[in-house]
Every structure is written in structure tokens, then in C-alpha cells.
Amino acid sequence: MSPLLAFLAGDAQADRVVPPTGFTARLTLFASAAMAFLTVFALALSLATGRLAENWGSALAQSSTIRISAPEGQMEAQVLAVMDVLETTPGIADARVLTDDEQRALLEPWFGPDLPLDTLPVPRLIEVKETPDGYDAEGLRARLAGEAPGAVLDDHTRWREPLVRAAERLRLLGLVSILLIAATTAVMITLAAAAALAANAQVIRVLRLVGARDAYIARAFVRRYTLRAHSGASVGTALGMMAVWLLPEADPGGSFLTGLGFQGTAWLWPLLIPQLAALVAFAATHHAALTTLKERS
Amino acid sequence: MIEFEQVSYGYSGGPLLADVSLRLARGSFHFLTGPSGAGKTTLLKLCYGELIAQQGRVAIFDRDARTLSRDDVAMMRRRIGVVHQDQQFLDHLSLAENVALPLTVSGRSTTEADLGDLIRWVGLESQRESRPPELSGGERQRAALARAIIMSPDVILADEPTGNVDWEMSLRLLKLMVELNKMGKAIMVATHDLNLIRAAKSQVQARVLRISNHRVQLAGADL
Ligand SMILES: Nc1ncnc2c1ncn2[C@@H]1O[C@H](COP(=O)(O)OP(=O)(O)OP(=O)(O)O)[C@@H](O)[C@H]1O
Ligand SMILES: [Mg+2]
């Protein structure tokens, strides 16, 4: 049997040597449940904002368009000029004039299928793909204004850039929150364990008198608090997941708020919370018990 | 097994024991007497590492008590059975569980029969499921003795083991200790009860140590 399994399986006799501590037990259960509940939301926030940042980020990497409106005779010249400019602009991976068919497809929803493109003064569209580093939009605009006055750069996805940064920051904050919650849990469990140790000073004295080692005494407390934190956190996690699951769903395209959920395998992440809580409780109680026992020899 | 060399000890109120030298050898039987407050309990605590000598050297099983780690002290206590003056028990456990506690904390077990025999020997079979607070002073004392010997220790230190029991029970406890002594265990009994010491002298070669004036002296045959 591995030490961990042996630890979890425990020793019924050893557990009985420390009397049940009703009050701190309930406190620990409640605190762990509450903290796990909060962690579920912090996690949901992190995952959702991470997803958002990724989606928006990949949208950014997609194309921008340049629209050229020019009198009939100048159109070809301006298109060529724009293509020249694009060729010499750093950060542009590819540029391509949309074909008539493609433009017709774009306009079809508004004007129907029989649009006589050649007779209408429809602007030409150039699709621009940028390199991962991107290009300098202001610089490009200035050059276009000089070379092809009818060209308008429409980098419609750029407005999202600050949003992506905000989403990334939110994800970071979510992760920091999880760390803070874990630290707070550790503090609370340390306090609860310290209170239990103090309340059981007499028990500990008797145990030491009959030859119990510190590790033995500590284990009786540590096991208790680890299991409690685990069960509390399991309940809290279950409730938190249920609450996330019950969040009203508006549109699947996912605005920020409705995206605040778990998707697919991400539902597995919160299942780690009880394990993490148990780990935190184990470390906290272990430390608290051994220090207290050493101080009080 | 336990040896004091010019040991001194005092609480904050000044010296209590000074220049104490003594030896508890295998198979020896000692009584420790002296007026209340003379330091009998203190001396016993020095014997099982609860207190550390301020001067001089206490060797427990040939190891300087000062050099023992906390785990060493725990291990050493499994070889020294102590009957405390203020018998301390775990009040949430039954008497039987309390008696078996030294086994429990050292990861050993005993048979129900052995535990039953021991409890019967100290006359507590009808109280075995009682909680310690429900026991009389004498019953607690007998339970403490049973707990002290359940590990079959090499040394038994008893602090007023007959303080709360009637004469008949005192003799019975004494007989048990004499028997243990004949098995080679070193025994030290702190007591006020001179009658008990006299009764013991007819059964066993016992030395009587008296604490007076911070010193430990071997009392003569004048008891
Ligand atoms: N923890 C302590 N702190 C300070 N003083 C103490 C402490 N324990 C004992 N004393 C004092 O040391 C003295 C000796 O105490 P001790 O318990 O060794 O006496 P004793 O000989 O066992 O007495 P009794 O026969 O009443 O049990 C007493 O005056 C007591 O008040
Ligand atoms: Mg005393």
C-alpha cells in the first residue's frame, strides 16, 4: 500500500485517540466548501476569458480589407498602386484583389443574385493578410492616402486588440484569485487546526507520556483536516459547477457573460479542486501540528 | 538503566534537588520518600525525560537525556512505564482503551485475552468500558498501573501508586510490582506510606531513598 493510500485508509484506533472536535470540524467543512465554490467561479472566469482572448486573438490574425472607390477610369490604376504599396509594407503576408464572383457573393444578400457588377460603381475590395507581427495601420493609411486617395483601410478587427489584452488580464486575475483562495484556505485550516491542537493540549500531553511520537499525534489531526477539506471542497465544487451549469445561455456565439461557463473537457478542471483543497489542508495542518508540538514540548 | 550523576534541578523558586547521584539498575527496587513538596515527582520526571537536569547528567538507557531528540524521548517512554500521581487519561476513551493506549500509539496490538487478564488483575473488569471520569480515585490508580506495565517496560516508575486505595489493594499493587521486579524490571516507587515500605521489605530487597534538604539520602533500617 502506498503511503498516501495508507494515510487515507487511516487507522481507526489512531483516529480515536484524538477526540472529535465538532466546532472546528464544521468550520473547516464550511470554509472549504465556500472556498471551493469561489474557486469554481474563478476557474470559470479564467477559462472563459482565456477562450475569449484566444478567439479574439485569432480573429485579429485574420484579414483586414482595403476598399477602393474611384471613378471608372482610375480604378485599375489605384488598385495597382495599392498592391504596390502593400507589397512594400512590412507586416503584410499576402494581399489579393477579390474576384467579381467573390464580390457578387458578398453583395448578394443585399442586392440579389443578378447584380450587374460591371455597370455599377461598386468599390473593389482587397483582402489583406498580415504576418503574426502585424503591420503599422497608421503608416499604411498615410501611404495609401498619398498613392491611392480612393483607398480606405478597414482593419475592423483591430478594435478588439484592447479587449484581448483585457481578457488576458482577466484570465490572469482569475488565476491570481485561485492562488489567493488557496492561500486563504491554508490560513483558515491552519487556524482551525491550531485551535484544535490547543483545545487538545491535555490529550497531546497524555499521548506523549505514553510514548506517542510527534508524527503519530500530528497524523491524527492532519488526516482529519485533510479529509474534511476534501469533503467540504467536494460539496462546494459540486454546488459551484451546478451554478455555472445553470447560468442562463443567451447566444452561443458567446458574448463575454454567456461565455462564462465550462466547455467540453474543461468541465474536468473543477474536479481537481477538492484534490487541491485536500493537498492544501494536508500541508497546512502538517506544518501547524509539527510546529505546535515542537513548541510545546 | 537510569543513572544520575550530581544532578541539580530547580523550578523558578530556587534549587529543589542538588547534587543527586543514584542508579536504577536492572532488577533493583527503590522507594522514594520525603515530605510533600520535597521533589519526588520532580525526580521521577527527570528519570523519564520530562524534565532535563540543569546541572549534572542523567543517563537513560545509557544515553544522556540532554541529547535525546523528541522521537528518542517517545521511544524511551515505551520502555519506561510511569504511573503518574495525577493519573492522566484520555477521557473520551474507555478504561480498556486507555490501558491499551501505549500499544496503540506504538502501532502494536494485544489480544483481547491479554488485555482482559491485565484489567482483571487490577480488579477493574467490571469497569472496562467506563470512561476515566466515572472512575474512583483508586480505580484510576489501578488503571494507571495497568497502563504503565502493558508494554512490559524495563523500568517502572510509580508516583504514589497507592495514594487512593485501601490497604488490601495497596498490598495487591505492591505484590504486582514485586512480581514485575522479580522479572528483572527496575522499579522505583515514590510514596509517603511507610507501612507500604515495611510490607515490601519482607518481600523484596528494597532500597529506600529519602529526599531532605534538596539531597537524596539512602535511609537506614530505621523504618
Ligand atoms: N511546574 C512547576 N513549576 C514550578 N514549581 C513546581 C512545578 N512543579 C512542582 N513545583 C514545585 O516544586 C516542588 C516539588 O514538587 P514535587 O511535585 O516534585 O513534590 P513532591 O515531592 O512530589 O510532593 P508530593 O508528595 O506532594 O507529591 C513543590 O514545591 C512544587 O510546588
Ligand atoms: Mg509528587
Side-chain angles (χ1 to χ4, degrees), chain B residues 11-12 16 35-42 85 160 192:
Chain B
Y11 298 101
S12 47
L16 185 64
S36 178
K40 300 183 291 296
T41 300
T42 304
Q85 191 169 10
E160 302 284 1
H192 286 116

Side-chain angles (χ1 to χ4, degrees), chain A residues 205-214 216-217, chain B residues 71 73-78 102 105-106 151:
Chain A
R205 191 154 49 236
V206 173
L207 289 175
R208 277 197 62 76
L209 282 176
V210 298
R213 294 164 62 216
D214 284 353
Y216 179 89
I217 303 172
Chain B
D71 275 358
V73 170
M75 291 315 195
M76 172 215 70
R77 286 195 183 156
R78 299 177 186 182
V105 303
S106 54
M151 295 282 279

